[in-house]
């Protein structure tokens, strides 16, 4: 997972490395000796109650929600066992605010994973069926996208964010569906 194979992943890693470089070496490179306060969050897939997903590889869960809500069915492009970490949008915003509130001296690692829950496609569908009991799910596996999803971690360790600045999500899978998406 730290050797990304997609353009998106390699660019994220590149920016993180640049941020670390300039935050630790800027004093040596600059006459004004100003420190760059670099902080970075690695988000899982994000689920918004209002924004329609734009077709990203990790969008199978948010696409499923919006399609079932609006059309009653979803044709999933990955298999039922595909599992990725996700987070409700309010928790993503909360994590940004929480990290930015921290004193610079408490930020040791500078790059943090944050996450909340990691359902499989089928587990998410089963949870959605509690709201939409007539919902239908079918599968039309896209081999290229499935291969990408299979190359990603199915869970994220966010213990560093928890340890260094007290990260804790407000929404788990059930809360995301019942208290965020439905409202």
């Amino acid at each position: 997972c730290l050797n990304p194979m997609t353009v998106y992943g390699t660019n994220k890693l590149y920016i993180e490395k640049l941020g670390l470089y300039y935050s630790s070496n800027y004093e040596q490179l600059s006459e004004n000796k100003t420190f760059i306060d670099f902080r970075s969050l690695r988000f899982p897939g994000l689920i918004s109650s209002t924004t329609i997903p734009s077709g990203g590889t990790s969008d199978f869960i948010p696409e499923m929600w919006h399609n079932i809500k609006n059309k009653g069915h979803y044709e999933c492009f990955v298999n039922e066992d595909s599992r990725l970490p996700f987070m409700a949008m309010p928790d993503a915003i909360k994590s940004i605010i929480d990290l930015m509130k921290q004193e610079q001296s408490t930020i040791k690692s500078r790059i943090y994973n944050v996450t909340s829950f990691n359902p499989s496609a089928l587990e998410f569908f089963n949870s959605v069926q509690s709201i939409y009991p007539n919902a239908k799910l079918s599968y039309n596996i896209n081999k290229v996208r499935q291969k990408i999803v299979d190359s990603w971690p199915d869970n994220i360790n966010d213990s560093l964010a928890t340890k260094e600045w007290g990260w804790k999500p407000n929404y788990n899978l059930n809360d995301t569906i019942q208290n965020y998406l439905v409202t």
Side-chain angles (χ1 to χ4, degrees), residues 115-135:
T115 192
S116 182
F117 51 90
N118 64 328
S120 69
L122 183 58
E123 288 169 350
F124 187 79
F125 175 72
N126 289 338
S127 295
V128 170
Q129 271 196 311
S130 67
I131 305 298
Y132 299 105
N134 295 324

Side-chain angles (χ1 to χ4, degrees), residues 16-78:
E16 289 175 354
K17 295 296 186 184
L18 278 177
L20 289 175
Y21 174 80
Y22 283 110
S23 67
S24 64
N25 294 314
Y26 193 70
E27 288 182 17
Q28 299 164 5
L29 301 172
S30 173
E31 291 179 22
N32 66 12
K33 309 276 190 217
T34 304
F35 180 79
I36 294 176
D37 184 4
F38 175 77
R39 302 171 190 208
S40 178
L41 290 171
R42 292 178 178 168
F43 290 114
L46 298 177
I47 302 175
S48 170
S49 63
T50 57
T51 303
I52 305 295
S54 59
T57 301
S58 64
D59 283 345
F60 64 93
I61 294 286
E63 279 181 6
M64 186 185 305
W65 169 259
H66 287 282
N67 276 273
I68 287 174
K69 177 182 174 189
N70 296 318
K71 300 174 186 174
H73 69 277
Y74 179 62
E75 184 178 89
C76 193
F77 59 84
V78 295

Side-chain angles (χ1 to χ4, degrees), residues 109-158:
S109 303
R110 305 220 166 260
I111 300 170
Y112 301 94
N113 293 321
V114 289
T115 192
S116 182
F117 51 90
N118 64 328
S120 69
L122 183 58
E123 288 169 350
F124 187 79
F125 175 72
N126 289 338
S127 295
V128 170
Q129 271 196 311
S130 67
I131 305 298
Y132 299 105
N134 295 324
K136 303 288 185 225
L137 177 64
S138 60
Y139 295 90
N140 183 10
I141 311 303
N142 178 308
K143 290 180 182 179
V144 172
R145 292 170 94 185
Q146 181 69 60
K147 183 177 178 181
I148 292 170
V149 168
D150 290 344
S151 76
W152 291 340
D154 62 4
N155 204 356
I156 295 175
N157 180 346
D158 60 0

